[in-house]
Amino acid sequence: MSLDAATVRRIASLARIAVAEEELPRLAGELNSILGWIEQLNEVNVDAVAPMTGAVALALPMREDRVTDGAQAEAILANAPDRAGEYFAVPKVVE
Amino acid sequence: MSYVIEGSSGPWEVVIGLEVHAQVISQAKLFSGAATEFGAPPNSQVSFVDAGFPGMLPVINRACVAQAVRTGLGLAAEINLTSRFDRKNYFYADLPQGYQISQFAHPIVGKGVITIALADGSTREIGVTRLHLEQDAGKSLHDQHPSKSYIDLNRAGVALMEIVSEPDLRTPEEAGAYLRKLRSILRYLGTCDGNMEEGSMRADVNVSVRKAGEAFRTRCEVKNVNSIRFVMQAIEAEAKRQVGIWEGGGIVEQETRLYDPGRGETRSMRSKEDAHDYRYFPDPDLLPLVLEQAWVDELAAGLPELPDAKQARFIAEYALPAYDAGVLVAEQATADFFETVARGRDARLAANWVTGDFFAAMNRTGRSIENPPVSAADLGALIDLISDNTINGRIAKEVFEAMVETGQPPGAIVEAKGLRQVTDAGAIDAAVAAVLAGNADKVAEYRSGRDKLFGFFVGQVMKAMAGKGNPALVNEALKKALAVG
């Protein structure tokens, strides 16, 4: 599998990362070497091995259903570039 | 009965699948300790986890997991003891993380089934593909400012169950019945309040059309339809649009659309080709969700009697017709109300009163089953007065209206208004004699063969007795009097 410049441009746009046109070939090269390494891993036969979902064999810890957080609108809004009262204000997004 | 869209090339079958987002009833959010309560001031119920601040770690709420398992059990579905959370990546102003934590490859609940009842009395089993847990997004207000949208993150991170049906539905009626049944089950379980107006239950509708016997054609998804009526309208509008495209020689493109109830049509929502490229991957912040079978068994043991079981019991125990039983069990509170009225009484009479005059009074007064116009105990007492012949059925309706109006128990109304039924043979015979004497011409007609006049005499006698005559005794006395010529 090999990524071309157009695919890299699309991946960057999906991730909302600005990538200059002249950087695309270098990124394609880096991503391709990562993919090549994954392909190498794919050669290992793991038919009899259960999928590993994490590096530690633990299950998800759970918390009780209690309200312990919130009531801090000022802190939540503190870094907002724009606000209106207690709302975040963003450029209009309408479908 | 089959529903088709008639096109110029003949009939088209409609194929429908539903994705329902049901907000989980819990105190705190799925991965944070912020409150879930509806209607709080903006951004007052937001933790740093919900707002997507760097370095914050989600910790799952056990109660939300329990609600998903209970819902799965209520849908007779497989519970997956190991499931996993994935990130669904997209950018939108009300999604501060830049991704939604969802379950893509390994949902907590697998295949289940919902039985729907149709107007013609038939039932159908509709497959449920899966149920998974995910985060709700925040809320955007677009109408507050000419060039800005306002964002409230109170809803961001509230637990949702996405319940996906198989493409088993074929008519708008079936889609409506599916949603009503699902809502009923969720409300019985107490896992979602099913309130579509407040948005705690929302439906995405997948629609495609095909000729009989064909494989599925391309579907379109109509997003966020917020009432059952609109779901049914959107299906018809979208199916007709697709038939128009196919018959015009075009090709239906897979896309997301919105239903505009004002115009009665759907319109394209996202034209971007990459709208569905969510680049799911396992959330590295979350370990696999592993459940113990013993806990699932415990949750199963604690489930309430669900609508289908209750309906079957009502049919068996109270000898009710399936339709009436279905109406009574749709809401648990209604079923409980009915059982209080019916206990130790004529159950069919009780069912008739609850689904008839009582429902009518509830609608007319704008009251609810939680705050009924007449209490179950009082309605039961009214039925007792009918059964022990204190009042007749017609007077009972009058008493019922007075109960709605005054809130008084039926016994007091009957006494105060002197509505006690007349069973005294002398009084009835006297009234009968008076009516026959005053209508000699009709008596003659009756005796010469116009049997239908009997009803007229009954009406006249009841009128003369101010409606209080015992109908059976009046009939008997009339028959006797008319027979002797």
Side-chain angles (χ1 to χ4, degrees):
Chain A
M1 173 166 191
S2 175
L3 298 179
D4 56 14
T7 309
V8 176
R9 193 183 299 120
R10 180 171 148 77
I11 294 168
S13 129
L14 284 171
R16 301 294 190 276
I17 297 172
V19 176
E21 200 64 24
E22 61 270 21
E23 278 189 275
L24 289 175
R26 181 180 59 80
L27 280 172
E30 286 180 11
L31 288 170
N32 277 326
S33 43
I34 294 170
L35 286 174
W37 183 62
I38 302 287
E39 268 165 28
Q40 208 179 326
L41 286 177
N42 273 343
E43 287 167 17
V44 182
N45 185 333
V46 290
D47 285 353
V49 184
M52 188 178 85
T53 41
V56 278
L58 287 173
L60 193 58
M62 301 197 213
R63 77 190 153 74
E64 294 309 308
D65 185 27
R66 279 201 312 272
V67 175
T68 56
D69 208 341
Q72 48 172 355
E74 280 311 313
I76 293 295
L77 288 158
N79 299 317
D82 191 10
R83 60 186 281 183
E86 307 285 88
Y87 289 102
F88 292 93
V90 301
K92 200 167 200 109
V93 274
V94 185
E95 290 285 357
Chain B
M1 181 220 72
S2 77
Y3 170 90
V4 292
I5 302 285
E6 284 298 339
S8 56
S9 65
W12 293 78
E13 185 177 287
V14 183
V15 178
I16 307 149
L18 290 169
E19 290 172 23
V20 172
H21 289 90
Q23 217 172 61
V24 171
I25 294 177
S26 65
Q27 298 297 312
K29 294 182 181 180
L30 180 56
F31 292 113
S32 87
T36 58
E37 208 178 319
F38 183 78
N43 291 310
S44 64
Q45 297 177 166
V46 184
S47 80
F48 293 140
V49 177
D50 311 320
F53 279 38
M56 302 308 295
L57 280 175
V59 182
I60 200 164
N61 181 339
R62 178 191 299 274
C64 295
V65 176
Q67 294 287 55
V69 171
R70 295 176 71 243
T71 305
L73 292 167
L75 301 175
E78 305 155 7
I79 306 300
N80 295 323
L81 295 181
T82 301
S83 64
R84 201 186 67 197
F85 288 94
D86 301 287
R87 291 185 178 181
K88 176 181 180 176
N89 300 279
Y90 67 95
F91 288 92
Y92 202 75
D94 58 21
L95 187 80
Q97 292 168 143
Y99 57 86
Q100 176 191 35
I101 305 179
S102 182
Q103 296 189 298
F104 183 61
H106 301 282
I108 185 166
V109 175
K111 283 187 183 304
V113 68
I114 291 179
T115 304
I116 60 170
L118 300 170
D120 64 3
S122 64
T123 59
R124 272 198 72 198
E125 292 203 339
I126 305 301
V128 170
T129 314
R130 56 185 281 163
L131 175 156
H132 67 253
L133 274 171
E134 63 185 24
Q135 298 174 300
D136 206 344
K139 210 176 167 94
S140 307
L141 286 82
H142 300 299
D143 54 359
Q144 306 288 307
H145 189 280
S147 61
K148 290 174 185 171
S149 292
Y150 291 175
I151 309 292
D152 173 12
L153 297 180
N154 281 350
R155 203 178 63 184
V158 170
L160 288 181
M161 298 178 284
E162 178 170 330
I163 303 160
V164 183
S165 85
E166 294 286 334
D168 285 350
L169 300 155
R170 293 290 176 273
T171 74
E173 187 205 352
E174 289 181 1
Y178 173 92
L179 287 170
R180 272 191 295 274
K181 188 57 171 289
L182 175 58
R183 181 168 66 182
S184 173
I185 294 170
L186 294 172
R187 287 174 57 83
Y188 266 71
L189 290 165
T191 57
C192 169
D193 69 20
N195 187 332
M196 293 187 84
E197 291 76 47
E198 282 183 7
S200 44
M201 182 170 143
R202 319 191 277 275
D204 299 343
V205 192
N206 285 296
V207 180
S208 65
V209 296
R210 65 174 177 185
K211 293 286 189 175
E214 273 186 357
F216 295 141
R217 295 195 184 203
T218 308
R219 66 172 193 266
C220 287
E221 183 181 17
V222 187
K223 268 237 181 272
N224 271 334
V225 191
N226 64 3
S227 83
I228 290 174
R229 194 162 56 92
F230 289 161
V231 166
M232 295 168 68
Q233 290 172 4
I235 289 167
E236 179 145 353
E238 176 58 17
K240 284 184 173 157
R241 185 188 74 87
Q242 293 182 13
V243 166
I245 291 175
W246 290 120
E247 294 193 335
I251 287 176
V252 171
E253 302 284 349
Q254 180 163 351
E255 61 173 352
T256 305
R257 301 181 67 86
L258 278 181
Y259 179 62
D260 182 340
R263 293 161 177 258
E265 61 186 28
T266 67
R267 59 186 161 84
S268 186
M269 184 177 172
R270 291 173 187 156
S271 46
K272 280 180 289 182
E273 58 183 28
D274 53 13
H276 286 283
D277 197 342
Y278 292 124
R279 292 151 299 136
Y280 284 99
F281 63 87
D283 191 314
D285 287 342
L286 292 160
L287 290 158
L289 175 57
V290 179
L291 311 176
E292 296 202 6
Q293 184 62 49
W295 188 51
V296 174
D297 293 343
E298 198 182 304
L299 292 170
L303 290 189
E305 182 184 37
L306 290 170
D308 286 345
K310 202 183 275 289
Q311 185 181 14
R313 181 167 65 76
F314 278 17
I315 293 170
E317 196 173 320
Y318 300 118
L320 297 184
Y323 177 82
D324 293 19
V327 170
L328 289 168
V329 304
E331 290 285 339
Q332 185 153 28
T334 309
D336 292 346
F337 185 96
F338 163 73
E339 289 209 87
T340 308
V341 176
R343 195 160 299 132
R345 302 193 174 97
D346 178 340
R348 290 191 79 145
L349 188 58
N352 288 342
W353 273 92
V354 172
T355 58
D357 294 73
F358 174 76
F359 277 3
M362 196 161 73
N363 290 337
R364 196 175 63 237
T365 56
R367 308 272 289 257
S368 66
I369 195 75
E370 289 78 16
N371 175 26
V374 165
S375 75
D378 282 353
L379 183 53
L382 179 67
I383 290 168
D384 286 340
L385 293 178
I386 302 168
S387 299
D388 70 9
N389 281 322
T390 303
I391 54 174
N392 65 38
R394 208 185 65 82
I395 291 291
K397 288 186 186 288
E398 191 181 325
V399 173
F400 181 79
E401 292 311 320
M403 290 162 71
V404 173
E405 216 164 285
T406 65
Q408 290 201 319
I413 292 168
V414 169
E415 291 313 320
K417 293 194 166 187
L419 295 173
R420 199 171 267 279
Q421 176 165 255
V422 178
T423 51
D424 171 47
I428 292 173
D429 286 342
V432 166
V435 167
L436 296 196
N439 294 282
D441 51 339
K442 294 244 170 31
V443 173
E445 277 184 57
Y446 177 85
R447 286 184 175 146
S448 63
R450 278 196 66 195
D451 291 355
K452 279 183 187 158
L453 277 170
F454 190 75
F456 164 81
F457 293 120
V458 172
Q460 290 301 309
V461 172
M462 288 302 262
K463 197 172 158 193
M465 301 184 69
K468 292 185 285 185
N470 175 306
L473 295 178
V474 168
N475 277 355
E476 206 176 298
L478 258 174
K479 267 187 196 138
K480 218 191 300 168
L482 284 165
V484 286

